[in-house]
RNA sequence: GCCGAGAUGGUGGAAUAGGCAGACACGAAAGCCUCAAAAGCUUUUGUCCGAAAGGGCGUGCGGGUUCGAGUCCCGCUCUCGGCACCA
């Protein structure tokens, strides 16, 4: 083995040396316009402030105990490659990394072992930092933190207080300080809920009124209580089966006083501003679906022989004439009030559920619905329900229609009540068929099915057809297209005082309390009356107390009646405090819930901008510089944010919400946190099970004619995640040991497009290793380690390849197509190898080194030094292609005869079409294919090809 | 069920302003070097017929538009992801 061959050991030496040097020199530090991270005037760093900026980050990781496997760094390497490229291409690049370190695993480990979560967390972070350093990730080392740092969560708490201290002004469509709302109440500009003057309200009453407006508020509301975990959960953390996403415990709806975030106030803006973002369409779609805005109308139906009325929400007010019955959610509050003593005469048996009177029918149905698990409801979509015995009056034609309760109507959406139009709604159709309810066609089918619903297989649903059978005193929709009919009827209802156009959302307010230890404490205390008071900014952060027992009290998983007991409640010395909140020292009780995991990740991208600022979460000048709106990003935000699709809804929606509140309150110039989002794919892996179904170590499985064996016995292959229990984990450290970090980086980038998931294949890594070896061997003498570069000029053909490569690599880099960029570099390298028998021409060696640098930075730095340069190449200009070498003198045209390539002709690149055509027809292979026939048509696509038709 | 994304050699993947399908890499085969092995290097490698020259067929399936379709249109199949009675 030659002593200076590029081996793993040689690579390890180079990598270590350059990582040390980058650290010593602070190579990747990005200057801020102002504050502690602003550069000294006149330095190279200061000059970079005049360049266009680029802010590139990944979704920061939760530092788990298992460390990184080869799947995790895919996005980190991609953003690193891009940011290294951009530094060379003339940008001031901010690239940073932190840790989302509050979370359950550390707490659960603490519960099991008694080891403080902070210790576990810090150890894991150290391990992650070590692994990331070893990969050569070029972060600004001054801009890093964990969400668990008191200096960080101080600001998380500060933001919480600003949100609590704000209300949403629906007219101005923005958040405003609560003091401005108080002023409106005081002046009488805004009436109090019960009309009394503000001054006459007691302190408790005022607090209650304001809580009805605050963007962070406490409410006694139905929440998802999970006794098995001992905590409440956000809607998003509950599976469709009604169980906890984590742990799969049953979840119950219970009324509990909890902190909420009024994210619903921002539903429209969160929806509308998606249009300004450069995000993958599926992610936008998921957010749109989650917000679930739908336009429609509320319509009030009187209850027959009764004083009450029921308001329904419908998106199809145009079908009001087709309403033949009404359905309330079983839990609807009006149900009990409208039940008659006995069934009306002639009620069909199927409607009563076999009960003797409406009250017992409703009670029985409710019981039956409650007994069904969510899963059973999912599986069985057959419509069930029961008649209430009451009738509603259709306001448009006075018709009496029966009122049912059924679980296909959800209490939490719209008004919890619907008008049923079985002819034009699939669900209503199914219900009507099951209960033999009448149907009336009020939208003429345009698919030839006829207008008699009794002959239909399903409802006719269309927004393009025209209305019919919809005329009564003073109102007719007949002949109107659906959209026009909606407008007409909505106006009519409003004029009659029977309804109004309205918008509803699926989005609910965000439950923000967790009964956990390892989270941000709320900066809230309660006085003797139970009133909440903010902890003054000057007393932040409210730090977590030391406790002996980190677990919330958990209960029998099925005990729906249990109540939360957070771990912080046990820290009695901490809970009970004496504070002076401006009216002298008093006793207070601290809030013992903590914030949910998402809190820190709702704003961390802002803290990288000014991580050491002690006076503000970020200096406005720094935020405006890095994230402010630009011509192409009109709502501002991070230039590139890379992370997994699993955060498509929750993290990204919550972070957008907080960002908008902070914008409204004047703290930020940007309206959106993340302008461009890219979802990196997953690196997955094969796992193998033996005949008993146990996993066997994947690395020892061998492939043998169409199957796989482990220790000679056949095993089954499955494809999925990497995990300890699947015995298929491959770590970046192993790859660094075997090949070096540069090889690993190149391999991860050349596996395929960033967005696509792909299987890990360790044995393929060697291809990237050979590539770097060829680069090294071309420029360095393997026997002496001396550079073997010559100054002889290269042939035109090589020079053209060089410039085509430069041009192509720049294009691919900008489009994040790193796999094809690497392929182009390999092609250039393979040419260099061919022409370097007597030494590598500098004309190719230098630009190749610079272009390889984003992918294999350590190797490139080493080669750059060997080429005779001082200092890091980090800020060397990326090569620029010369236009004149991008076009060849001659072009080879493929010639098609009847669609098949039959020959090729070489023609000067500036030849006109006639010349090209003549050359094509003169080619002997083409002539042979023509076999004497006269071309009917000859098509010359300039610079591309010739097509002859005979 | 609804919405979205996708399907290209043995494998990962190239090629979208409709213009030479399979770049680049892995694997495989043969060879060079070596006492030998490893590493490295060279050549071949979509498939079928053929000794070769050459030819036929080929981008999930079936149609269509076009001189020309992986790319556009219509109709399917399958895979993955999201939502799940949202009125």
């Amino acid at each position: 083995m030659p002593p200076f061959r590029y081996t793993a050991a040689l690579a390890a030496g180079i990598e270590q040396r350059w990582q040390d040097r980058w650290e010593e020199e602070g190579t990747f530090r990005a200057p801020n316009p102002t504050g502690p991270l602003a550069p000294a005037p006149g330095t190279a760093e200061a000059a970079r402030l005049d360049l266009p900026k680029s802010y590139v980050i990944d979704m920061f990781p939760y530092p788990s105990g298992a460390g990184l496997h080869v799947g995790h760094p895919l996005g980190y390497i991609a953003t690193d490659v891009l940011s290294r490229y951009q530094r060379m291409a003339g940008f001031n690049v901010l690239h940073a990394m932190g840790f989302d370190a509050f979370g359950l695993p550390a707490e659960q480990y603490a519960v099991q072992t008694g080891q403080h979560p902070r210790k576990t967390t810090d150890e894991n972070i150290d391990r992650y930092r070590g692994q990331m350093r070893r990969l050569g990730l070029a972060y600004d080392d001054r801009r890093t933190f964990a969400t668990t740092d008191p200096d960080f969560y101080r600001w998380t708490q500060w933001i919480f207080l600003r949100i609590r201290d704000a209300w949403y002004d629906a007219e101005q469509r923005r958040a405003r300080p609560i003091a401005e709302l108080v002023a409106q109440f005081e002046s009488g500009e805004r009436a109090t809920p019960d009309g009394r003057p503000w001054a006459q309200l007691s302190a408790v009453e005022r607090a209650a009124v304001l809580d009805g407006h605050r963007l962070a508020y406490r409410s006694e509301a139905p929440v998802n209580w999970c006794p098995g975990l001992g905590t409440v959960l956000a809607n998003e953390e509950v599976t469709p089966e009604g169980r906890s996403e984590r742990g799969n415990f049953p979840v119950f709806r219970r009324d509990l006083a909890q902190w909420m975030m009024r994210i619903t106030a921002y539903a429209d803006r969160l929806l509308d501003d998606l249009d300004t973002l450069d995000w993958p369409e599926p992610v936008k779609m998921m957010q749109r679906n989650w917000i679930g805005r739908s336009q429609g109308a509320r319509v009030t139906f009187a209850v027959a022989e009764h004083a009450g009325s029921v308001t329904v929400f419908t998106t199809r007010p145009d079908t009001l004439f087709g309403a033949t019955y009404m359905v309330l959610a079983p839990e609807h509050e009006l149900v009990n009030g409208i039940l008659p003593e006995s069934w009306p005469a002639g009620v069909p048996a199927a409607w009563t559920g076999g009960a003797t009177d409406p009250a017992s029918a409703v009670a029985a149905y409710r019981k039956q619905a409650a007994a069904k698990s969510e899963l059973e409801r999912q599986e069985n979509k057959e419509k069930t329900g029961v008649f209430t015995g009451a009738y509603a009056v259709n306001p448009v034609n006075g018709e009496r229609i029966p009122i049912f309760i059924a679980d296909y109507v959800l209490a939490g959406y719209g008004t919890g009540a619907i008008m049923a139009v079985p002819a034009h709604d699939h669900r209503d159709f199914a219900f009507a068929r099951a209960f033999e309810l009448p149907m009336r066609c009020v939208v003429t089918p345009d698919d030839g099915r006829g207008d008699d619903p009794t002959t239909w297989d399903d409802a006719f649903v269309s927004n393009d057809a025209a209305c019919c059978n919809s005329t009564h005193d003073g109102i007719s929709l007949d002949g109107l297209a659906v959209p026009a009919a909606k407008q007409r009827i909505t106006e009519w209802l409003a004029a009659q005082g029977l309804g109004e156009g309205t918008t509803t959302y699926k989005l609910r307010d965000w439950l923000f309390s967790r009964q956990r230890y390892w989270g941000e404490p709320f900066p809230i205390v309660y006085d003797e009356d139970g009133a909440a008071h903010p902890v003054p900014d000057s007393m932040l952060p409210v730090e977590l107390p030391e406790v002996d027992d980190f677990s919330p009290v958990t209960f029998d998983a099925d005990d729906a009646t249990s109540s939360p007991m957070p771990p912080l409640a046990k820290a009695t010395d901490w809970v009970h405090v004496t504070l002076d909140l401006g009216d002298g020292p008093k006793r207070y009780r601290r809030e013992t819930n903590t914030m949910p995991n998402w809190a820190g990740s709702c704003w961390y991208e802002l803290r990288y901008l000014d991580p050491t600022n002690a006076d503000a979460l970020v200096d406005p000048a720094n935020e405006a510089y890095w994230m402010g709106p630009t011509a192409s990003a009109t709502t501002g935000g991070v230039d590139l944010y890379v992370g997994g699709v699993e955060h498509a809804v929750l993290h990204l929606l919550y972070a957008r919400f907080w960002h908008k509140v902070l914008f409204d309150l004047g703290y930020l110039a940007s309206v959106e946190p993340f302008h461009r989002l890219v979802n990196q794919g997953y690196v997955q892996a094969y796992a193998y099970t033996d005949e008993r179904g146990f996993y066997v170590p994947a690395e020892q499985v061998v492939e043998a004619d169409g199957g796989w064996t482990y220790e000679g016995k056949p095993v089954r292959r499955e494809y999925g995640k990497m995990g300890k229990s699947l015995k298929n984990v491959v770590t970046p450290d192993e790859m660094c040991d075997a090949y070096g970090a540069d090889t690993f980086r190149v391999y991860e980038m050349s596996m395929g497009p960033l967005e696509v998931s792909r299987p890990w294949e360790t044995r393929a890594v060697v291809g990237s290793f050979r590539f770097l070896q060829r680069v090294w061997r071309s420029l360095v003498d393997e026997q002496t380690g001396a550079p073997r570069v010559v100054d002889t000029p290269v042939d035109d053909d090589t020079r053209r390849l060089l410039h085509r490569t430069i041009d192509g690599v720049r294009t691919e880099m900008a489009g994040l197509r790193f796999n094809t960029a690497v392929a182009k570099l390999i092609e250039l390298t393979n040419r260099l190898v061919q022409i370097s028998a007597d030494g590598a021409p500098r004309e190719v060696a230098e630009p190749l080194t610079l272009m390889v640098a984003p992918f294999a930075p350590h190797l490139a730095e080493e080669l750059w030094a060997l080429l005779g340069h001082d200092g890091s190449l980090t800020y060397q200009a990326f090569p620029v292609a010369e236009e004149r070498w991008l076009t060849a003198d001659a072009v080879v045209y493929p010639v098609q005869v009847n669609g098949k390539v039959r020959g090729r002709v070489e023609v000067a690149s500036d030849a006109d079409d006639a010349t090209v055509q003549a050359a094509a027809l003169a080619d002997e292979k083409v002539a042979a294919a023509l076999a004497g026939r006269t071309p009917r048509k000859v098509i010359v696509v300039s610079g591309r090809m010739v097509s002859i038709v005979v």
Side-chain angles (χ1 to χ4, degrees):
Chain A
M1 168 96 61
F4 289 92
R5 171 157 292 174
Y6 185 79
T7 59
L10 188 86
I14 294 172
E15 288 168 8
Q16 177 78 52
R17 204 159 60 244
W18 280 98
Q19 283 159 14
D20 289 345
R21 185 157 167 193
W22 291 331
E23 188 172 296
E24 279 160 28
E25 297 180 358
T27 305
F28 308 116
R29 295 182 173 185
N32 263 2
T34 187
L37 305 193
T43 57
E45 220 184 305
R48 291 206 287 275
L49 275 172
D50 297 328
L51 299 171
K53 62 89 189 181
S54 180
Y55 180 23
V56 179
I57 51 173
D58 295 86
M59 290 184 186
F60 66 164
Y62 175 80
S64 82
L68 297 172
H69 64 60
V70 292
H72 295 117
L74 182 66
Y76 308 160
I77 295 171
T79 53
D80 197 66
V81 167
L82 180 73
S83 51
R84 283 180 180 272
Y85 166 72
Q86 288 184 326
R87 285 189 193 100
M88 300 174 80
F91 287 85
N92 185 26
V93 179
L94 173 45
H95 187 41
M97 181 58 89
F99 298 92
D100 188 17
F102 278 124
L104 228 34
E107 180 175 307
Q108 284 173 330
Y109 188 72
V111 169
Q112 285 160 23
T113 66
Q115 172 162 301
H116 197 284
R118 175 162 302 285
K119 186 162 184 289
T120 314
T121 303
D122 288 348
E123 286 169 4
N124 292 347
I125 289 175
D126 284 348
R127 170 124 185 255
Y128 269 57
R129 284 194 200 284
Q131 288 184 302
M132 288 175 174
R133 180 192 145 99
R134 200 173 172 193
L135 293 176
L137 299 174
Y139 300 128
D140 184 331
D141 54 2
R142 304 166 305 175
R143 302 175 190 258
T144 186
F145 47 76
T147 52
T148 47
D149 298 343
D151 278 347
F152 181 87
Y153 72 70
R154 169 194 176 183
W155 294 104
T156 310
Q157 293 172 338
W158 182 90
I159 294 168
F160 173 83
L161 291 177
R162 297 294 85 71
I163 296 173
R164 179 175 179 272
D165 217 21
W167 62 292
Y168 196 78
D169 183 333
E171 277 168 31
Q172 296 191 9
R173 283 172 58 92
R174 68 183 183 94
R176 300 171 62 183
I178 201 83
E180 296 178 17
L181 181 69
V182 173
Q184 289 188 3
F185 281 127
E186 280 173 342
S187 70
E189 178 189 343
R190 179 181 292 261
T192 58
D194 61 7
R196 283 182 295 156
W198 183 250
Q200 288 181 17
L201 270 58
S202 70
V204 174
E205 287 170 329
R206 288 183 191 176
V209 170
L210 293 182
D211 257 357
H213 289 270
R214 293 182 190 276
L215 292 178
Y217 62 99
R218 247 164 73 88
S219 96
E220 178 89 25
V223 296
N224 305 299
W225 165 235
C226 180
L229 291 173
T231 187
V232 298
L233 299 169
N235 290 330
E236 299 84 334
E237 295 168 316
V238 180
T239 64
E241 290 78 33
R243 301 180 80 89
S244 58
E245 196 159 55
R246 213 181 38 68
N248 200 34
F249 292 107
V251 172
F252 301 92
R253 299 291 286 177
R254 277 209 53 191
D255 280 349
L256 291 170
Q258 300 287 316
W259 284 97
M260 305 289 290
M261 288 270 166
R262 204 180 300 279
I263 191 172
T264 50
Y266 280 81
D268 278 323
R269 283 169 59 190
L270 289 169
L271 193 62
D272 295 342
D273 284 356
L274 283 173
D275 295 337
T276 69
L277 301 178
D278 182 5
W279 283 17
E281 206 49 47
V283 175
K284 289 190 182 184
M285 187 83 66
M286 282 187 248
Q287 293 220 345
R288 287 192 190 106
N289 291 342
W290 191 261
I291 294 166
R293 176 164 71 190
S294 58
Q295 318 274 0
R298 288 185 207 276
V299 185
T300 300
F301 286 62
V303 179
E305 293 96 37
H306 195 277
S309 64
V310 180
T311 300
V312 303
F313 172 73
T314 177
T315 56
R316 294 294 303 273
D318 56 298
T319 61
L320 186 51
F321 283 92
T324 53
Y325 65 103
M326 176 184 276
V327 186
L328 306 189
E331 305 88 339
H332 198 287
E333 55 186 9
L334 285 178
V335 173
N336 287 338
I338 61 171
L339 299 176
E341 295 276 315
S342 58
W343 294 118
V347 64
W351 293 15
T352 64
T356 52
D357 60 279
S360 50
V362 165
Y365 182 74
R366 281 179 175 161
K367 203 173 162 191
Q368 175 200 329
K372 263 195 288 187
S373 76
E374 292 285 338
L375 192 62
E376 286 166 333
R377 285 201 197 186
Q378 294 298 318
E379 284 167 351
N380 190 356
K381 286 271 177 77
E382 269 165 43
K383 296 287 179 287
T384 60
V386 74
F387 181 42
T388 62
Y391 290 83
V393 180
N394 189 336
V396 79
N397 56 12
E399 206 168 85
R400 277 166 54 101
I401 58 175
I403 304 175
F404 284 73
I405 59 169
D407 63 4
Y408 85 92
V409 173
L410 309 176
Y413 181 77
T415 62
I418 62 157
M419 63 176 207
V421 184
H424 306 292
D425 181 279
H426 299 296
R427 298 149 301 184
D428 297 343
F429 187 95
F431 189 87
R433 275 285 153 88
F435 287 82
E436 295 178 3
L437 286 153
M439 301 187 191
R440 183 181 307 132
C441 177
V442 293
V443 181
T444 311
D446 51 13
D447 57 4
R449 61 166 75 191
D451 59 2
D452 178 6
T454 61
T455 66
W456 297 355
D457 294 328
D458 199 358
F460 172 72
V461 181
S462 168
N463 273 305
D464 302 319
C467 294
C468 61
N469 297 327
S470 298
T471 300
H472 198 76
D473 301 342
I475 176 75
S476 175
L477 305 177
D478 291 342
L480 287 179
V482 167
K486 282 181 181 174
Q487 198 185 338
R488 170 82 58 87
I489 189 73
T490 304
E491 285 165 5
W492 183 84
L493 288 165
Q496 305 289 315
L498 296 168
E500 59 185 345
T502 187
T503 304
T504 62
Y505 304 86
K506 288 202 299 192
L507 184 69
R508 309 293 160 75
D509 277 347
W510 172 20
L511 174 64
F512 198 69
S513 298
R514 293 301 127 87
Q515 289 73 43
R516 309 241 66 110
Y517 175 77
W518 196 226
E520 298 88 347
F522 282 87
I524 292 288
V525 293
Y526 300 96
D527 63 24
E528 296 166 342
D529 301 325
H533 298 269
V535 173
D537 293 352
S538 61
M539 294 185 195
L540 299 182
V542 175
E543 293 203 48
L544 278 169
E546 295 302 318
V547 296
D548 298 327
D549 179 4
F550 301 101
S551 53
V553 177
T554 57
F555 302 88
D556 182 280
D558 296 309
D559 182 2
T561 61
S562 49
S563 287
M565 285 275 291
L568 290 187
K570 300 172 193 166
T572 48
D573 290 350
W574 178 83
V575 171
H576 300 286
V577 284
T578 302
L579 298 174
D580 184 348
L581 299 183
D583 50 358
K586 285 187 179 170
R587 293 290 286 171
Y588 295 95
R589 181 173 51 83
R590 290 191 190 275
E591 168 67 62
T592 55
N593 287 306
T594 52
M595 298 188 196
N597 257 157
W598 313 103
S601 60
C602 272
W603 74 282
Y604 75 110
E605 74 283 355
L606 293 166
R607 194 59 179 171
Y608 288 135
L609 305 179
D610 216 351
T612 57
N613 192 327
D615 304 318
L617 80 153
V618 54
D619 187 294
N622 290 330
E623 191 269 335
Y625 174 78
W626 290 111
M627 288 178 69
T630 63
S632 57
T634 53
T635 47
V638 174
D639 294 282
L640 177 65
Y641 192 41
V642 173
V645 254
E646 69 270 24
H647 295 113
V649 174
L650 305 183
H651 157 58
L652 290 170
L653 199 65
Y654 294 154
R656 294 180 63 216
F657 164 52
W658 277 35
H659 202 94
K660 286 180 184 303
V661 177
L662 290 171
F663 168 80
D664 285 354
L665 297 177
Y667 297 108
L668 304 176
S670 51
V671 186
E672 285 282 342
F674 310 112
H675 179 67
R676 183 181 182 194
L677 174 72
V678 170
N679 294 124
Q680 97 270 10
Y682 299 102
V683 174
Q684 298 187 297
Y686 294 107
Y688 302 86
T689 50
D690 61 20
E691 71 271 20
R692 298 167 304 167
F694 292 126
Y695 287 98
V696 301
E699 55 184 3
Q700 291 166 40
V701 170
V702 291
E703 194 171 351
D705 45 29
W708 297 271
T709 60
Y710 169 67
E711 293 180 340
K713 292 181 191 146
V715 289
R716 283 162 57 122
R717 187 167 86 156
E718 51 189 67
Y719 178 57
K721 284 184 174 171
M722 254 182 210
K724 234 182 196 171
S725 60
L726 306 177
K727 295 191 180 170
N728 62 353
V729 173
V730 182
T731 64
D733 308 79
E734 294 168 54
M735 292 301 104
C736 289
D737 290 343
Y739 298 104
D742 282 332
T743 293
F744 176 67
R745 290 171 58 109
V746 169
Y747 177 64
E748 289 244 328
M749 290 301 96
S750 54
M751 288 167 83
L754 181 58
E755 298 85 348
V756 173
S757 293
R758 75 296 304 263
W760 176 260
E761 194 178 10
T762 295
R763 65 180 182 177
V765 179
V766 71
S768 300
F769 188 50
R770 288 179 189 147
F771 161 51
L772 296 185
Q773 271 183 334
R774 290 198 295 279
V775 174
W776 175 264
R777 187 170 355 102
S778 301
L779 308 204
V780 181
D781 188 309
E782 289 190 312
Q783 295 300 331
T784 65
R788 50 186 300 283
V789 178
V790 295
D791 287 316
T792 44
V794 297
D795 60 282
D796 284 358
D797 205 39
T798 300
R799 188 171 293 139
R800 276 192 207 97
L801 176 64
L802 170 66
H803 287 277
R804 263 207 325 275
T805 303
I806 293 170
D807 185 57
V809 168
R810 276 184 169 265
T811 307
E812 304 297 61
M813 287 292 211
L816 304 183
R817 290 181 297 270
F818 302 126
N819 53 329
T820 48
V822 170
K824 288 178 198 307
L825 291 172
I826 292 173
E827 284 183 274
L828 180 63
T829 300
N830 292 348
R831 172 69 66 91
L832 181 64
V833 169
Q834 283 168 24
I835 62 169
S836 298
D838 304 318
R842 184 174 292 272
E843 186 182 345
V844 175
E846 292 214 342
L848 177 64
T849 300
L850 292 172
M851 286 192 287
V852 163
F855 298 98
H858 315 86
L859 171 73
E861 291 274 25
E862 191 73 9
L863 292 175
W864 191 244
L866 282 166
L867 285 164
H869 301 281
D870 289 331
S872 170
L873 53 58
T874 301
Y875 297 98
Q876 286 295 317
F878 202 83
V880 180
E882 287 176 42
E883 196 62 40
R884 66 194 171 110
W885 295 106
L886 292 179
T887 50
D889 299 341
V891 185
V892 176
Y893 280 82
V895 183
Q896 288 183 353
V897 177
N898 282 350
K900 291 205 184 339
V901 178
R902 297 297 180 180
R904 292 165 209 289
V905 292
E906 186 169 315
V907 182
S909 57
D910 55 359
D912 60 17
D913 287 359
T915 313
V916 175
Q917 177 171 335
L921 291 169
D923 185 75
E924 56 184 69
K925 281 182 181 168
V926 173
L930 288 175
R933 292 171 293 181
T934 314
R936 273 199 290 136
K937 198 172 177 186
V938 179
I939 297 150
V940 177
V941 184
S942 212
R944 288 287 191 176
M945 61 152 15
V946 181
S947 185
I948 301 169
V949 191
V950 290

